[in-house]
Amino acid sequence: MQSAMIQMCPICNSTEWKIEYEGPVRDGVFGKYDDGTVWRCIDCGVSHLPPRQSNLEDYYQSDEYREDVGEKADPQDFFSRHDDEQFDKARFLKGTSIRGKVIADIGCAGGSFLDVAKGLAETSIAIEPGKSYHASLRERGHRAYSSLAAASEEWAGKVDVAVCFSVIEHVNDPVEFLTSIGHLLKPDGVLVLSTPNHRDALLEFSGDPYRSFFYRWVHPWYFDEDCLRSASIKCGMTFEPHYVQRFGFANFAAWLRDGKPTGNDHGAALGSVFDDVWKSTLESQKKSDYLYGFCRPAV
Ligand SMILES: [Zn+2]
């Protein structure tokens, strides 16, 4: 464990950090842990778990990353795990037509979301460091790039809608990352991103068992609405949050009772009406398990 944090906060440039959590940190799938220290920036509130890999870009380009999170680095495995999540994500594009537009998915992995959107979009751009997905992405008609830098040579200022689901918590420098996405966008373009919410109610109510599950070695960064807005502003974009609770009350109760997750496998413990109220209550209090954001170039 580290005794001090000397790194400058990429969002607010502060060098003042305090220890937020010390102890077991999830290492891939549930049940495997390795001790770590999570630091919180005193000024902007972002939290940071210094990664074990010295070069995160190399790590994401290898198959090791998917295997570390209990998946296989091949497109079919990705489809079977993630295809059914895509329509849920598509609702965030409500009010945003993608017909005839240029869309980009940053960190798209197997590209399930791009497959859903491709019928309407003029061009679908897949930006994914994991090269084992590229051949399949290209076969399905997407323009595949291994980095934002490579994509921006062709697409800087030309993208209407960028999406980036559950990626910003993985990168080395979230400000550099958002800036690079911002460079892809047209002046009236939009980025829709998502990340685990650092104000998740279970962090407050369950305590350490949930903390050791929430913090993950594959996530160096933890955000709430305020620090994501600060990061967006630093990158020349506005930020509008949208809260989403994915897991129902049964999962919450299992954490309190057993200190472990049930996911959504047990359905709605007290009926779906109660579960809907439960989810919308957490969302309205900004304590949902997921945080979405709409980032637009500031005019
Ligand atoms: Zn900061």
Side-chain angles (χ1 to χ4, degrees):
M1 285 190 201
Q2 288 175 267
S3 54
M5 176 76 156
I6 46 165
Q7 187 174 329
M8 185 188 278
C9 172
I11 296 176
C12 71
N13 298 343
S14 171
T15 50
E16 304 272 315
W17 301 82
K18 65 176 181 188
I19 292 177
E20 173 171 297
Y21 171 80
E22 259 181 318
V25 168
R26 178 151 61 123
D27 197 3
V29 291
F30 175 69
K32 204 175 149 211
Y33 299 95
D34 189 15
D35 282 355
T37 304
V38 178
W39 300 84
R40 189 182 190 98
C41 171
I42 286 174
D43 289 315
C44 76
V46 74
S47 291
H48 181 52
L49 172 65
R52 291 177 300 190
Q53 289 81 6
S54 55
N55 190 328
L56 280 178
E57 281 174 24
D58 286 351
Y59 177 53
Y60 293 128
Q61 278 175 17
S62 70
D63 291 345
E64 191 188 344
Y65 162 65
R66 284 282 156 196
E67 282 153 19
D68 277 357
V69 294
E71 301 189 4
K72 289 190 195 118
D74 80 69
Q76 288 306 328
D77 184 71
F78 185 84
F79 300 152
S80 68
R81 292 172 191 275
H82 301 290
D83 269 0
D84 70 337
E85 300 164 3
Q86 305 312 317
F87 295 102
D88 219 31
K89 290 174 184 166
R91 72 192 164 106
F92 292 98
L93 298 176
K94 210 174 157 189
T96 311
S97 172
I98 56 171
R99 188 179 296 279
K101 302 280 180 70
V102 176
I103 62 166
D105 187 343
I106 295 102
C108 67
S112 292
F113 180 80
L114 288 173
D115 287 346
V116 170
K118 186 177 180 298
L120 286 169
E122 178 199 271
T123 305
S124 52
I125 302 166
I127 301 172
E128 170 52 45
K131 291 202 171 106
S132 50
Y133 294 113
H134 283 200
S136 167
L137 287 164
R138 290 192 177 114
E139 266 168 35
R140 284 176 281 136
H142 308 305
R143 308 283 299 266
Y145 300 88
S146 59
S147 66
L148 280 160
S152 86
E153 284 176 21
E154 207 169 330
W155 296 102
K158 295 179 183 171
V159 171
D160 295 288
V161 178
V163 299
C164 182
F165 300 120
S166 309
V167 179
I168 192 167
E169 62 273 19
H170 290 272
V171 305
N172 236 339
D173 181 332
V175 169
E176 196 182 291
F177 181 69
L178 277 182
T179 302
S180 301
I181 299 176
H183 285 157
L184 288 180
L185 293 178
K186 286 182 180 173
D188 62 349
V190 62
L191 160 67
V192 183
L193 61 77
S194 72
T195 191
N197 181 18
H198 203 187
R199 295 183 193 165
D200 183 340
L202 270 168
L203 287 170
E204 183 183 334
F205 291 103
S206 167
D208 281 350
Y210 188 68
R211 280 173 211 283
S212 62
F213 175 80
F214 180 86
Y215 299 120
R216 305 179 60 178
W217 280 106
V218 292
H219 293 174
W221 299 102
Y222 302 89
F223 302 94
D224 66 7
E225 172 186 336
D226 293 340
C227 59
L228 260 188
R229 179 176 291 105
S230 302
S232 301
I233 290 169
K234 191 168 183 182
C235 305
M237 293 192 282
T238 62
F239 180 79
E240 179 196 334
H242 192 96
Y243 288 88
V244 175
Q245 176 66 22
R246 299 171 307 163
F247 293 107
F249 183 75
N251 184 61
F252 182 82
W255 271 109
L256 299 193
R257 190 187 61 194
D258 305 328
K260 61 183 188 187
T262 65
N264 276 331
D265 294 347
H266 291 240
L270 300 171
S272 62
V273 172
F274 176 81
D275 237 25
D276 287 345
V277 172
W278 162 253
K279 288 178 182 175
S280 54
T281 301
L282 291 180
E283 288 165 1
S284 69
Q285 295 192 355
K286 305 187 172 190
K287 292 180 177 178
S288 57
D289 51 31
Y290 242 68
L291 172 60
Y292 279 70
F294 296 81
C295 305
R296 293 183 172 86
V299 282

